[in-house]
Amino acid sequence: MKYTEDHEWLRVEGDLVVVGITEHAATQLGDVVFVELPETETMVASGDEVVVIESVKAASDILAPVDGEIVEVNAKLVDAPGLVNDDPLGAAWFFKIKVDDLSVLDQFMDEDEYNDLIA
Amino acid sequence: MADPKLKRLGLHDLHVALGGKMVPFAGYEMPVQYPAGVMKEHLHTRTAAGLFDVSHMGQVILRPKTDMASLALAFEAMMPVDVLGLAQGRQRYGLFTNDAGGVLDDLMFANRGDHFFVVVNAACKDADVAHMRASLAEAATVEYIENRALLALQGPHAGDVLARLIPETAALRFMDVARPVWNGTELWISRSGYTGEDGFEISLPETAAETFAKALLDHPEVMPIGLGARDSLRLEAGLCLYGHDLDEATTPVEAALTWAIQKSRRTGDRAGGFPGADRILSELANGPKRLRVGLKPEGRASMREGTELFTEAGEKVGTVTSGGFGPSVEAPVAMGYVDASNAAVGTSLLGEVRGKRLAVTVCDLPFHPTRYKR
């Protein structure tokens, strides 16, 4: 698992990168009440705002961590946004992105580095 | 590091001990939420009882220089509200207005026999005290109360819990005030609050506040509640937040607060005579150009403060002033100002959220029925 400075986690699944937010981010957001997902088959560039998450108090964006194509989104989050708080590292993944070369993930932090960041 | 410019509440250490997440608000470090989180705190207040620390608000005593009637008339000259007719032991909602009819602040005031007790908003309190000292120079001494905390106990079990500590509070009705003694300390209590629920606001010396707060929190029904849930509760109750839903450019009529302007100030001997009376009385008679309304977004996306509102034809007709998710309504809720021609309940509008225009319907307030103990 890799981590971004924006508190996303990235997990490789076959030739896809699965993206979610860390437990730290979920705790900071508070109770999530709404998730707006991107369309599949969309090409995105690193830094694009692709998901909107709203907690009781505020809306925040999740950015595409890498360039690629969104090939799958987690539609469960639309009806059960609370999953983001209950299981941020598991059931509450947001989207899967297809990249040209998985080595693009090498630039991101590993778990120890991420834990240092939020310590 | 804490910002040294921020003031600390008398109960600061208790909030921290309870796990409160402290944030800057109106010049104070305030708990925005506790470990349970905004959603649970909100729902707990609706089903049991929530304890709020609102000590940042301004507490003021007005003592008459001659007699209460003269003071009442002078206080009336500051707002479109019946002060003279407020019975002893009762509290009322008031609004300071300016010459343009806009609202300088909203407040609560109580007739306690030989003086008035006034509670004003934190961000306005210095200006309010100066305004009262200037306007009431002949009629009153204006005493700003330091060193008293203000707590709110709100929710359907608030009455039971408080009556266990202070039995005589059971007899209070909505907007009654009393000064019972608890453990040798005089409490200033009103049956009122800011959540739409039955409940109380309790002023007490800071030195007794922690003991009293803990005595309330010892009851299993009572949970500490932060600013986050306070805001979502008041929004569901359709109540205005000064600086957001109310400001110096907004009249009480536009704000749909005409219920706060008693008949005695509209017609007869004591009609008018308050700042902005021309405009306010004219809007009462002819209707305002724009009006505060409830707004029910149709989807799941919240329409927050600043969301612009359009007709289906694309004409901009208003703006959201408060909006978010309503945990008891289980849907997004908002309120804002729209042109009077689009203010009828049932009007379909569009709110622009992140570049998309989403359907929203004008609706009645409150979103959640109030349960005051009348």
Side-chain angles (χ1 to χ4, degrees), chain B residues 188-213:
Chain B
W188 302 349
I189 297 187
S190 63
R191 194 156 201 162
S192 62
Y194 197 45
T195 59
E197 299 295 325
D198 177 30
F200 304 85
E201 294 201 342
I202 304 145
S203 163
L204 75 172
E206 261 178 16
T207 48
E210 185 165 325
T211 316
F212 183 70

Side-chain angles (χ1 to χ4, degrees), chain A residues 16-38:
Chain A
L16 302 179
V17 179
V18 188
V19 180
I21 61 167
T22 64
E23 197 151 354
H24 172 78
T27 306
Q28 293 293 314
L29 276 171
D31 303 306
V32 173
V33 294
F34 172 73
V35 174
E36 186 178 299
L37 294 165

